[in-house]
Amino acid sequence: MYHKTKSYKVFSIFNYTLLAVLSLVCLIPLIHILAVSFSGKAPANANLVGLLPVQFTIDAYSQTLANENFLRSLWVSFVRTGLGTLISMIVVICAAYPLSKENSNFKRKKVYTWFFVFTMLFNGGLIPFYILIQKLNMMNTLWVLILPGAVSVWNMILLLNFFKNVPKELEEAAFIDGAGYLRTLVSVYLPVSMPAIATISLFAMVGHWNSWFDGLIFMTDHKNYPLATFLQTIIVQQDFSKVSVRPEDLESISQRTVKAAQIFIGMAPILFVYPFLQRFFVKGIVIGAVKE
Amino acid sequence: MLNKLKKPFTVLMSATMLAGVLAACGNNTEAGTTNSSSDSFYSAGFENGKYTEPVSITTVFPIGSNVKFKNGENIDNNVHTKWAKETLGIDIKYLWTVSEQNNAYQTKLRLMLTSGQEMPDIVAFRGEPTLISDLIESGQFTDAGELFDKYASETYKQAMAEDPSVWNPYIRDGKRMGIPILENAYNNDPVMYIREDWLKAVNLKAPTTLDELEKVMDAFVNQDPDKNGEKDTTALSVGFKVNLNTWMSDSGWIFGMFGAMPNQWNLGADGTLLYGSIQPEMKPALAKMQEWMAKGYIDKEAGLYDEVKATEAFTAGKSGIIVGPYWMTGWPIPDLLKNVKGADYKAYPLPAGPDGKIGRHGTSTSTGAVLINKDMKNKDAFFVYQNYLFDNWANPKEGGEFENGFAENYDFALDPNGKPYPATETDKVPGGWVDPIRYTLTFDGAIIPSLRLNTLAKLAGGAEPTTRFEKNMSLSLPKQLEAAKIVIDQKAATMPQMFTGVPTKTQLSKNDMLTKLEKEVLNKIIYGKVSVDEFDSFVEQYLASGGKKVTEEVNEWYATVK
C-alpha cells in the first residue's frame, strides 16, 4: 500500500502541480491567440487583449473564411498531409521490415542500413537540391511537397527497432501456418506495431502540416502554397523602411486579429488528430501471445 | 535556413565610374506617340501609342501583403494586365510569383541566378542592393541608362532628374545598369506626435526645445496625465531592437538634436563620409537616453521592441509621445482614438537641441531598380509602359483616364451622380476596395518623388486644390495634411543616408560583427549598465575591428560618385 505513505502523497501533489503548470504554459498562448482573434482591431493592435476578447467580434473569422487564398492553402495542406503521410508510411514500413531481420536471413543488411543512414548525415545542400527538383520538372507540383521527404530515415530506424522487439516466435508461428514474408508483415507485424505506427504517422503528419520552406522555394505560384507557407508569409512582420508606404493601404497591414484567426484555424485540424490517435498509443498488445 | 544563401558571390566593385553622370543629359529624343510603324524608333509596329501586334514582357513578381485581388482575378490575369494589353498592346507574362515576405523573392531570384535559369525580360527589385549587384554581375542585363535616354518620356526624365544620385548604386564602368524605382521623397521622415489631451491635463505647451521636452516628459510620467490615479504611463515610445534610427517609433531625432545620426553614413565637415554611430556627437545623446531610461521616460523594454511593438503603448493610451512618419496618422495612431475615449493627438515639429540643432533621418528617393535583360526582344516596351504611367498616373490630368484612380469599382467607386466617393470611404466600393496600381511592374505605378508630400503640405497651408492630384489629395485626413506640412517645413533638418553603393568588401566580411558590437555597447549605455565614457573605447574597438577599413572603402566609393 505504498500510495498511502506521506512521502508518496507529497510526491503526487508536486507531480500534479508541475504538470498543471507545464500544460498552462502551453495553453495560455493558445488562449491568448484565440482571444485576439475574437477581439476588435484597435485593442488587438495596441496589445490590450489578455486571455479574454475585448470588443467581441467574429469579423476576423468571417474575413478569413471568405479569403480564397487561405481556403486554397488549407486544401493544399490537407491533400499534402493525407497523401504525404500515406506514401511516407508505406515506403517506411517496406524499408524497415526487411532491415529489421537477422543478418542470416538478409545478407548485406548492414550495407543497406548504412546507405540509408548516410543520407541522414550528409546532403547536397539547398542549391543542388533545387536544381535537382528543377531538372525533374517537379517545380510547382504537389509531388514536390510529398516525394522528397517521403523516406524519412529517422522514422524508419524507429520502426525498425520496434520490429526488432517483436518476439520472433510470432513470426515463426506465422511461417509454420504457411504465411510468407509479406503476409507476415501485414497480418502479424502491423497489428502488433500499431503504437509505433501511430506515433510515426503522427510525426509524419505534423511534419507535413508544419513544413513551410519547401512550399516557399518550389512553388512558383503562390496559389499552390500549403497553409504553413501561407501563414508564414502573412505573420512575419513587415519592414517599411524600404517601401513607399501610402496611408491608403495601411489598413490592410494591421490585421493582427485576422492573423490570429488564421493561426487558429490552421492549428485546429492537427489538434483534432491527437485524440483520435490516442487509442493506438496503448502498448502491451503482445502480452500473452508468447508463452515463455 | 535562409542564411545558407547569403551572398555566394564576392561583389566586385568597379572603380572606374564616370563622375557625375546625369540622367537628363542624354539627347532629348521626343518619344512622341504619333510614330508610324515605318519609323524604326520602336522595335515593333506602333501606332497611336499602342503596339499594333501585342509584344510581350516576361517578368517575376513578389506579391506584397498589400496586393489584394477581387472578382476571382490573380496576378496573371487582372484589370491591370487587361489594361496593358488593350491600351498599350503589351502582354505581361509572369514566370513565377512569390510572396514578398521573409526575403522569399530575394531567395528565389538568387536560386534562379545560381541554378543558371534564364532570366525574365525585366526584373524589378526593391531592397538590399547586393542582389541587384549580383544580377548585374551575371552579365545577363543590358545598359538600361542608354535605353532610358532614348525612350523615356519627358515626365519620366524629369522625375528621375529630381535626385540624380538615385543612379549611383547601379553604375558599373560608367554604364547605368539598372533603372531606379522612384519613391515618394520625405515619405518616412519623422514628425513628433503628442497626446494633446495630456498636454492640457498637465498644463504645458508643446515642446520646441530639449529642455521643454524634458519638462513635458517628466509631467507625462509623474503627473498622472491620464488621470487614473496610477503611475502607469511612459513619456516617449521608442523601439530600438533593430536600429536607433528607424522608420517608426524612431529615436534618431534624439541624436539629431546633437548633430549625430546613428546607423547611417553622414557627410562630415571635411567632405568625407563618416559612420554616424561612432561620431563624438553621439555621446551627449546617449547620456540623455540613459537619463531618460533611468527616470522612466522610456519603457524599460524599449531595447527589445521592434518598430511596431513600440507603438502599442501609444495606441493603448499609456504613452504620450511617439516619433514617426506622416503616414502614422493613417496607421497605427487611429487605434488610439478607438481604444481611449476622449484621446486626442497632434503632430508637432521635432524639438531643437541645446545648440538649436534639429536633425532627422531622411527617406531614399529610390530603394530598388528595374533591370532589363539584354536578350529582351522589345526593350522599348517597358518604356512605353512606364512612360504612359508617368504621363497619366503619376500626376493625372482632369478628365484623364486615371483621374479618380486606376479602375472603377477597384480603387474608387462613383456615386449615383457620377461623382467619385472620397478615397477615405473605401467601403463604398462594391465587392471591396483593392488597389490595382500595386500589380504594376514597378509595384507602385509611377511616382514623381517630390509631388506627394509637397502637395499635402501645400494643401495644409490652405491652398485651393487645382490639379486633379491635389483634389484627390485634399480628401486625406486633416491630421495627415498637418503632419505632412511639418515634414516639409522641417526639410532642412534631414540628414540623408549618403552611402547608397553596394556593400563594400570589408562590410560584407565584418558587418555582422560590427553591428553586434555597436548594438551591444550602445544598448548597455542606454540601459545604464556602463557609463557613457565606455563610448570612447567602443569607437576605438570599432575602428580597429574593421570600421576604419570600411570608412576608407566607403569614401573610395563616394569619390567616384561625388
Side-chain angles (χ1 to χ4, degrees):
Chain A
M1 300 311 275
Y2 60 89
H3 57 264
K4 287 279 199 274
T5 63
K6 199 169 172 177
S7 60
Y8 183 79
K9 269 188 187 144
V10 173
F11 173 70
S12 280
I13 291 165
F14 170 76
N15 219 359
Y16 282 118
T17 324
L18 184 73
L19 287 174
V21 169
L22 273 180
S23 36
L24 274 183
V25 167
C26 297
L27 266 176
I28 285 174
L30 284 187
I31 295 170
H32 170 70
I33 296 260
L34 198 59
V36 169
S37 69
F38 283 117
S39 296
K41 261 188 182 180
N45 289 336
N47 205 9
L48 292 168
V49 182
L51 297 179
L52 290 171
V54 181
Q55 300 175 10
F56 185 90
T57 162
I58 55 161
D59 279 356
Y61 285 91
S62 49
Q63 218 176 320
T64 300
L65 294 173
N67 179 344
E68 51 181 84
N69 285 333
F70 178 82
L71 295 177
R72 219 182 4 234
S73 295
L74 195 62
W75 175 242
V76 170
S77 266
F78 269 126
V79 174
R80 165 188 190 165
T81 307
L83 205 60
T85 308
L86 187 73
I87 291 176
S88 178
M89 286 316 291
I90 290 170
V91 294
V92 165
I93 290 169
C94 291
Y97 180 62
L99 292 177
S100 68
K101 294 279 159 261
E102 300 288 315
N103 270 335
S104 51
N105 306 0
F106 183 13
K107 300 274 179 302
R108 294 192 203 82
K109 188 186 85 170
K110 266 217 161 63
V111 178
Y112 283 101
T113 312
W114 276 108
F115 187 75
F116 279 105
V117 172
F118 182 83
T119 62
M120 266 173 91
L121 306 173
F122 304 100
N123 63 43
L126 182 60
I127 293 190
F129 183 37
Y130 181 85
I131 295 173
L132 174 70
I133 297 291
Q134 226 187 340
K135 294 276 186 276
L136 291 170
N137 282 333
M138 273 164 63
M139 297 292 279
N140 212 19
T141 59
L142 188 66
W143 297 110
V144 77
L145 305 177
I146 293 173
L147 294 181
V151 183
S152 160
V153 181
W154 174 249
N155 289 351
M156 192 195 83
I157 290 174
L158 283 181
L159 196 60
L160 181 159
N161 285 325
F162 198 91
F163 282 161
K164 269 190 182 159
N165 292 332
V166 173
K168 269 181 59 159
E169 293 82 352
L170 285 181
E171 188 186 41
E172 284 160 3
F175 284 168
I176 287 167
D177 289 344
Y181 277 116
L182 191 63
R183 181 65 195 251
T184 311
L185 170 65
V186 176
S187 307
V188 177
Y189 273 79
L190 291 190
V192 301
S193 310
M194 250 343 175
I197 288 174
T199 310
I200 289 170
S201 299
L202 191 68
F203 283 168
M205 244 181 249
V206 175
H208 269 294
W209 190 262
N210 288 340
S211 162
W212 59 270
F213 190 67
D214 47 5
L216 192 65
I217 294 287
F218 297 121
M219 290 305 183
T220 52
D221 185 342
H222 68 285
K223 286 205 292 285
N224 297 337
Y225 278 175
L227 188 68
T229 310
F230 176 84
L231 288 178
Q232 203 265 348
T233 57
I234 58 159
I235 281 154
V236 174
Q237 194 48 256
Q238 261 203 305
D239 175 8
F240 296 122
S241 55
K242 288 267 180 279
V243 184
S244 247
V245 177
R246 298 190 308 162
E248 48 265 44
D249 49 44
L250 285 163
E251 207 31 44
S252 64
I253 293 162
S254 57
Q255 298 202 314
R256 198 179 282 200
T257 56
V258 176
K259 284 177 188 175
Q262 290 180 330
I263 292 171
F264 207 81
I265 297 172
M267 204 166 46
I270 210 80
L271 280 180
F272 287 133
V273 170
Y274 279 85
F276 289 103
L277 284 176
Q278 179 64 37
R279 62 195 185 99
F280 295 112
F281 293 132
V282 186
K283 265 204 82 157
I285 298 170
V286 288
I287 288 172
V290 182
K291 288 242 184 326
E292 295 286 329
Chain B
M1 202 109 195
L2 287 166
N3 287 353
K4 282 183 187 167
L5 301 171
K6 262 201 176 157
K7 299 163 191 125
F9 306 102
T10 46
V11 178
L12 295 165
M13 277 291 294
S14 58
T16 50
M17 297 178 191
L18 290 183
V21 182
L22 286 181
C25 33
N27 51 340
N28 277 340
T29 335
E30 273 298 310
T33 48
T34 51
N35 300 49
S36 65
S37 51
S38 60
D39 194 331
S40 60
F41 184 72
Y42 291 100
S43 59
F46 194 83
E47 267 171 33
N48 308 328
K50 182 179 173 179
Y51 288 99
T52 44
E53 287 295 309
V55 301
S56 68
I57 297 181
T58 58
T59 187
V60 290
F61 198 78
I63 310 271
S65 58
N66 50 20
V67 179
K68 300 251 191 304
F69 297 99
K70 64 189 285 190
N71 310 341
E73 293 181 347
N74 56 37
I75 192 70
D76 301 300
N77 185 1
N78 56 53
V79 62
H80 155 254
T81 53
K82 284 193 197 84
W83 160 84
K85 201 161 180 166
E86 283 160 21
T87 312
L88 306 170
I90 294 173
D91 206 355
I92 300 172
K93 291 198 178 77
Y94 294 91
L95 299 186
W96 50 258
T97 54
V98 67
S99 155
E100 176 186 42
Q101 268 103 345
N102 276 14
N103 298 341
Y105 184 54
Q106 224 167 319
T107 308
K108 282 187 89 117
L109 274 171
R110 226 173 242 303
L111 282 167
M112 240 181 143
L113 192 64
T114 39
S115 63
Q117 267 172 298
E118 210 168 302
M119 285 286 164
D121 287 342
I122 65 163
V123 176
F125 177 73
R126 271 196 301 215
E128 287 308 315
T130 326
L131 177 65
I132 296 197
S133 201
D134 291 340
L135 289 168
I136 292 173
E137 296 301 331
S138 76
Q140 298 191 56
F141 297 96
T142 188
D143 179 350
E146 190 183 31
L147 291 166
F148 181 82
D149 291 346
K150 184 174 174 189
Y151 291 113
S153 71
E154 211 38 51
T155 327
Y156 194 2
K157 280 183 177 159
Q158 274 166 6
M160 201 65 87
E162 281 185 2
D163 178 5
S165 72
V166 291
W167 294 98
N168 290 349
Y170 317 114
I171 296 175
R172 300 286 181 283
D173 298 330
K175 291 202 179 89
R176 290 162 293 160
M177 298 303 290
I179 298 169
I181 298 172
L182 298 174
E183 310 280 359
N184 289 310
Y186 305 114
N187 201 64
N188 288 350
D189 287 36
V191 292
M192 181 176 266
Y193 297 101
I194 305 184
R195 281 286 296 272
E196 197 62 12
D197 49 327
W198 282 21
L199 280 177
K200 285 199 186 76
V202 299
N203 204 4
L204 286 167
K205 63 180 190 52
T208 56
T209 65
L210 179 58
D211 289 341
E212 289 172 8
L213 176 70
E214 287 184 301
K215 277 197 192 71
V216 170
M217 292 210 286
D218 195 67
F220 279 0
V221 171
N222 300 317
Q223 294 182 22
D224 191 23
D226 57 353
K227 301 287 179 236
N228 67 350
E230 284 173 58
K231 196 180 165 187
D232 58 350
T233 52
T234 53
L236 171 68
S237 284
V238 290
F240 47 92
K241 179 183 170 184
V242 183
N243 272 330
L244 285 160
N245 151 16
T246 187
W247 53 269
M248 189 159 77
S249 321
D250 174 45
S251 23
W253 58 278
I254 302 171
F255 297 85
M257 289 192 288
F258 298 91
M261 189 51 67
N263 316 111
Q264 65 174 46
W265 291 85
N266 304 310
L267 190 55
D270 58 351
T272 62
L273 299 191
L274 302 166
Y275 186 58
S277 304
I278 53 172
Q279 299 314 312
E281 292 88 5
M282 291 280 293
K283 251 177 112 166
L286 285 168
K288 271 288 165 235
M289 283 189 81
Q290 188 183 63
E291 183 191 331
W292 293 353
M293 183 69 92
K295 287 181 174 165
Y297 297 173
I298 300 177
D299 197 308
K300 281 273 176 286
E301 309 269 293
L304 308 170
Y305 285 169
D306 67 16
E307 294 80 357
V308 179
K309 183 82 189 160
T311 62
E312 286 172 1
F314 192 85
T315 52
K318 288 289 155 216
S319 146
I321 306 172
I322 193 164
V323 174
Y326 86 101
W327 48 254
M328 281 178 76
T329 48
W331 171 84
I333 298 185
D335 288 341
L336 163 72
L337 310 180
K338 288 183 204 145
N339 288 329
V340 183
K341 280 211 166 35
D344 184 25
Y345 74 95
K346 203 166 171 240
Y348 286 103
L350 295 169
D355 315 334
K357 280 202 191 96
I358 303 172
R360 67 180 197 204
H361 69 79
T363 307
S364 313
T365 0
S366 166
T367 52
V370 176
L371 303 181
I372 299 177
N373 196 322
K374 63 175 194 297
D375 302 327
M376 180 174 178
K377 216 171 121 233
N378 310 92
K379 295 190 178 69
D380 45 328
F382 171 73
F383 293 95
V384 168
Y385 173 95
Q386 205 60 11
N387 289 346
Y388 192 92
L389 288 175
F390 265 97
D391 295 343
N392 299 291
W393 166 267
N395 194 352
K397 300 182 189 66
E398 283 294 346
E401 181 182 358
F402 299 131
E403 64 171 348
N404 301 321
F406 191 87
E408 189 182 348
N409 292 343
Y410 284 87
D411 54 350
F412 71 93
L414 299 177
D415 63 17
N417 310 324
K419 283 261 180 297
Y421 286 109
T424 42
E425 296 181 35
T426 50
D427 53 324
K428 293 282 194 291
V429 180
W433 179 91
V434 297
D435 200 4
I437 202 67
R438 295 291 183 190
Y439 315 159
T440 50
L441 294 177
T442 56
F443 318 120
D444 280 318
I447 294 176
I448 296 171
S450 60
L451 190 64
R452 190 186 186 100
L453 271 281
N454 282 323
T455 305
L456 290 170
K458 200 166 112 187
L459 294 168
E464 269 306 301
T466 50
T467 69
R468 189 69 234 179
F469 186 78
E470 285 170 357
K471 280 178 191 160
N472 290 346
M473 286 292 116
S474 67
L475 302 170
S476 311
L477 305 160
K479 290 217 187 270
Q480 213 154 76
L481 297 179
E482 275 170 45
K485 182 171 187 311
I486 292 164
V487 168
I488 297 294
D489 288 347
Q490 284 200 314
K491 220 164 33 176
T494 303
M495 302 169 79
Q497 158 74 296
M498 295 301 291
F499 176 65
T500 55
V502 180
T504 68
K505 199 164 119 250
T506 314
Q507 274 182 324
L508 288 177
S509 58
K510 294 273 189 334
N511 234 6
D512 289 349
M513 191 198 75
L514 290 174
T515 314
K516 197 165 164 266
L517 172 74
E518 177 186 331
K519 256 201 191 112
E520 225 164 79
V521 178
L522 298 192
N523 278 9
K524 267 189 188 151
I525 294 173
I526 293 168
Y527 273 84
K529 288 200 168 63
V530 295
S531 97
V532 181
D533 296 326
E534 198 68 24
F535 182 77
D536 300 328
S537 52
F538 151 71
V539 173
E540 268 167 47
Q541 199 189 340
Y542 191 94
L543 289 171
S545 359
K548 198 161 179 277
K549 191 92 189 76
V550 172
T551 308
E552 281 164 24
E553 286 168 354
V554 165
N555 278 297
E556 271 168 36
W557 169 86
Y558 188 55
T560 62
V561 297
K562 235 193 277 198

